C-alpha cells in the first residue's frame, strides 16, 4: 500500500517541504514569496484531511499509511517553524517547545506500543485543538501582511503560535499523565 492515492497525497506533504523553503530563496518580491508559501502550506496541509478521507472512502487504509501520515504532518510543521524562526517571524523558544513535544510524544507512543498500551496515548481532543491552532498560526506567519486590509496576520500569527505552544505543553502533560500509570504497571509486573 505504498502507492495508493491517499498515500501519494501523504507523500506530497513531505515533497512540499523543500518547495516551501525554496520559495524564500527565489528572487521575488517579499510579498509574492509570502503569498506563494502561504498558499502552498494551506494546500499541502489540506491533504492531511483529504488523504484520511480518501483512505477510508476507497478502503485503502494501511499500516504504512497510518505510520506515514503523522510523520508527514510533523515534517511539514517542523520545517515551516524553522523557516519562520529563520525569518524572525516566530520565536525560537516556541519552535523548541513544539518540535520538542513532537519528538517526545512520538517516542512515548512508540514506547507505549511496545508495552502493548498504545491506546493509552491515542490522539485526544487537546492534541487536535493544538494542531488546529498551529495550522492556522503557521500560514498567518508565512503570509506576514494585512489580510483583507484589516487583519494583521503577523500579529495574529504570533498570538496563535504562542497559544499553540501553551496547548502543546498542556497536551504533552496530558499524554504523560495517561502513560505513567501504564508504564508503572508494566514495570512493576516485570520487576
Amino acid at each position: 500500500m505504498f502507492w495508493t492515492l491517499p498515500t501519494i497525497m501523504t507523500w506530497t506533504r513531505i515533497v512540499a517541504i523543500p518547495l516551501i523553503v525554496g520559495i524564500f530563496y527565489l528572487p521575488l518580491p517579499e510579498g509574492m514569496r509570502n503569498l506563494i508559501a502561504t498558499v502552498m502550506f494551506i494546500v499541502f496541509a489540506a491533504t492531511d484531511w483529504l488523504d484520511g478521507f480518501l483512505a477510508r472512502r476507497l478502503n485503502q487504509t494501511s499500516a504504512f499509511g497510518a505510520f506515514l501520515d503523522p510523520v508527514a504532518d510533523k515534517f511539514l510543521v517542523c520545517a515551516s517553524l524553522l523557516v519562520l524562526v529563520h525569518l524572525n517571524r516566530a520565536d525560537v523558544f516556541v519552535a523548541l517547545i513544539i518540535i520538542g513535544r513532537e519528538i517526545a510524544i512520538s517516542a512515548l507512543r512508540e514506547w507505549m506500543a511496545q508495552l502493548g498500551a498504545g491506546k493509552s496515548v491515542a490522539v485526544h481532543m487537546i492534541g487536535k485543538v493544538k494542531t488546529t491552532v498551529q495550522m492556522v498560526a503557521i500560514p498567518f506567519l508565512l503570509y506576514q501582511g494585512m489580510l483583507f486590509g484589516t487583519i494583521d496576520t503577523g500579529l495574529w500569527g504570533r498570538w496563535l503560535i504562542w497559544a499553540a505552544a501553551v496547548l502543546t505543553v498542556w497536551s504533552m502533560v496530558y499524554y504523560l499523565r495517561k502513560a505513567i500509570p501504564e508504564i508503572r504497571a508494566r514495570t512493576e509486573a516485570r520487576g
Side-chain angles (χ1 to χ4, degrees):
M1 295 295 244
F2 289 106
W3 299 111
T4 63
L5 180 59
T7 307
I8 290 169
M9 294 185 78
T10 303
W11 279 111
T12 64
R13 288 201 299 286
I14 295 171
V15 171
I17 294 166
L19 300 176
I20 292 172
V21 172
I23 290 297
F24 290 99
Y25 291 93
L26 293 178
L28 297 170
E30 182 182 9
M32 182 63 71
R33 288 192 308 254
N34 292 347
L35 178 62
I36 293 170
T38 303
V39 169
M40 288 175 65
F41 181 87
I42 291 169
V43 167
F44 288 116
T47 65
D48 183 28
W49 173 82
L50 190 57
D51 64 11
F53 172 79
L54 288 174
R56 290 184 296 276
R57 184 82 167 176
L58 301 173
N59 197 26
Q60 293 181 342
T61 58
S62 67
F64 179 72
F67 156 76
L68 188 62
D69 186 65
V71 170
D73 297 342
K74 288 169 182 34
F75 277 164
L76 182 62
V77 166
C78 292
S80 298
L81 283 171
L82 292 174
V83 166
L84 292 169
V85 167
H86 178 73
L87 296 171
N88 292 317
R89 297 180 189 177
D91 191 289
V92 70
F93 190 63
V94 169
L96 287 172
I97 290 170
I98 293 172
I99 294 170
R101 181 262 188 206
E102 296 300 346
I103 293 167
I105 296 303
S106 293
L108 178 66
R109 284 192 173 124
E110 183 178 333
W111 187 21
M112 295 304 289
Q114 288 177 359
L115 294 175
K119 290 185 179 180
S120 65
V121 288
V123 176
H124 184 264
M125 183 55 70
I126 186 67
K128 292 180 180 183
V129 171
K130 180 267 309 175
T131 300
T132 301
V133 172
Q134 184 174 277
M135 296 307 244
V136 173
I138 291 171
F140 272 25
L141 290 167
L142 287 171
Y143 187 72
Q144 190 75 11
M146 296 302 286
L147 190 61
F148 309 119
T150 58
I151 301 170
D152 182 347
T153 64
L155 176 65
W156 278 96
R158 284 188 295 281
W159 280 102
L160 287 169
I161 204 69
W162 274 103
V166 169
L167 290 167
T168 293
V169 172
W170 184 5
S171 69
M172 186 169 70
V173 168
Y174 172 83
Y175 291 125
L176 288 172
R177 289 181 68 195
K178 296 292 278 184
I180 288 172
E182 291 284 348
I183 293 168
R184 281 189 183 137
R186 308 278 175 177
T187 53
E188 287 172 5
R190 290 181 183 173

